[in-house]
Amino acid sequence: GYRGARVDVWAMGWMFAGFWVMRRDDGKTHVREFLGGIFMAIAGLVWVSSILLVPLMLCELYHSRRHRELRGGRMTGSYFVRVLRVGAISLGLITLLLLPYISCWRQMFHDLAAVTGGRIAAGGSRIINFIEPFQQSPWLLVGGVAAMLYSENRLLGFAFGIALAGVFITGPYMHRDTYLVPYLIRGLQTVVSSVSSGSWKKQACIGYIVLSVVWAATVSLGYRTYSSLREKGENAPDLPEHTLREAMSLTGLTSSSGQRVFLSEWQLYYAARKHGLKFYRLEMGIHPRSDRSFLERMHVAFLPKGSLDSAGEGQMKSLGFKNIPLASQKNVETDKKRMHPAPDRRRYREIEVWQKRP
């Protein structure tokens, strides 16, 4: 979305719910497998990257069986039969829920393949892209990997290796690296549960987990809050607000005008929301030739300056749009440099306004 808010946490939450019900030891194996399959299906429909947690689910399913055997409990069916049952329930529910959209399946799979292919073909060092999100908080990565190397739970290490390969194949970046966090936490937990109570190793692992949580909370909640307050105290010019007000005065946009606005640039989100505009966005960007039907329903379009070539400008004009010149825009750095000191140091992008002629 415009705010960078993502649904990954919901997908991971549904997967965790599936892990929990399948690990419960109350003897209701079939019921818990059914619920686990349903939760996995919901996770897959929420966000497809949840497939990176499937190896962890297989690991948890195995250890739930092993735990029951060690306690003398009886498990119905072999491990592979249980995996097949859970998988069949999950895939069956996904297919059932997508049946009303069967005419769109081809396009959905095409879009998914295009996005995945774009990630795979993306340039840059995958090692650097993988490590960069952990550079401000490396403790969990270092501790989790060390714990998995120390632990006798080899299956967890194997599952982590599969997930890590999936991350590298599809292109590592911050939001994809997040799916490795449950493996790292599980690695630390296996060491805690495998050593005797009162052991220095157990205390060290618990202390390490607490340190990781405190550090992450300090960076995420403390430092970001301080950075935002400092930015506010500097009285930096509100460039998005200024730009949007100028565009609204030139195009006659108001909250009551009912005009539909295509808004591609994230920095205008809060300003547009504040003014009550009815705005839309396409996840994969705008292409005047292929998105004609969408643009035909828009009245105003805010686009990154220079994003259209001559052919694109011609398409916009053929749809009845004209370019509205704005006053020169400063290229002001955002406070993202203080939140994420990445090499690119993102800036506000200059925009151009297109309005449909009446």
Side-chain angles (χ1 to χ4, degrees), residues 45-296:
L45 291 172
V46 169
W47 199 246
V48 70
S49 294
S50 60
I51 195 172
L52 292 171
L53 291 177
V54 170
L56 184 58
M57 183 278 296
L58 297 176
C59 181
E60 293 299 293
L61 200 60
Y62 175 83
H63 282 286
S64 67
R65 178 180 179 82
R66 180 63 177 162
H67 179 69
R68 289 286 300 278
E69 290 174 347
L70 291 175
R71 293 187 56 182
R74 185 171 179 273
M75 194 66 89
T76 306
S78 69
Y79 169 72
F80 293 104
V81 172
R82 295 190 68 203
V83 170
L84 289 174
R85 281 201 296 256
V86 174
I89 292 168
S90 181
L91 293 176
L93 180 59
I94 290 175
T95 303
L96 181 64
L97 293 176
L98 291 180
L99 273 179
Y101 309 97
I102 192 169
S103 61
C104 303
W105 282 13
R106 183 175 179 180
Q107 185 63 44
M108 285 192 294
F109 286 118
H110 176 271
D111 292 345
L112 180 61
V115 173
T116 305
R119 284 287 181 188
I120 294 174
S125 170
R126 293 178 185 257
I127 297 292
I128 293 176
N129 292 342
F130 171 73
I131 295 176
E132 187 178 52
F134 292 102
Q135 65 181 354
Q136 289 186 343
S137 184
W139 316 115
L140 186 59
L141 176 64
V142 174
V145 171
M148 280 186 277
L149 292 174
Y150 173 82
S151 173
E152 296 180 356
N153 188 348
R154 302 305 179 197
L155 186 59
L156 177 61
F158 181 69
F160 175 73
I162 294 176
L164 184 63
V167 168
F168 270 84
I169 290 172
T170 56
Y173 71 113
M174 179 175 63
H175 301 299
R176 192 150 293 148
D177 288 2
T178 304
Y179 286 86
L180 298 177
V181 170
Y183 294 89
L184 301 173
I185 295 175
R186 186 73 175 93
L188 290 169
Q189 190 272 330
T190 56
V191 175
V192 172
S193 60
S194 64
V195 296
S196 59
S197 179
S199 167
W200 70 268
K201 294 179 181 178
K202 191 182 191 77
Q203 301 301 323
C205 280
I206 293 175
Y208 199 90
I209 294 173
V210 172
L211 172 65
S212 299
V213 172
V214 171
W215 178 269
T218 302
V219 172
S220 299
L221 303 178
Y223 179 71
R224 287 192 177 188
T225 302
Y226 166 73
S227 177
S228 299
L229 292 174
R230 186 174 64 176
E231 180 77 12
K232 183 178 180 181
E234 290 175 353
N235 295 317
D238 193 342
L239 183 64
E241 176 73 18
H242 174 76
T243 303
L244 187 64
R245 283 189 177 184
E246 181 186 0
M248 289 175 67
S249 66
L250 292 172
T251 59
L253 271 175
T254 64
S255 59
S256 58
S257 65
Q259 297 186 72
R260 291 183 290 272
V261 181
F262 174 72
L263 194 68
S264 64
E265 291 303 282
W266 61 268
Q267 72 263 27
L268 295 175
Y269 170 83
Y270 285 108
R273 186 172 177 177
K274 174 182 175 182
H275 289 282
L277 299 184
K278 191 175 184 180
F279 52 92
Y280 301 82
R281 178 176 184 260
L282 289 179
E283 180 64 27
M284 303 304 295
I286 193 73
H287 305 282
R289 181 181 295 275
S290 58
D291 298 320
R292 286 183 64 90
S293 60
F294 173 81
L295 285 170
E296 285 174 349

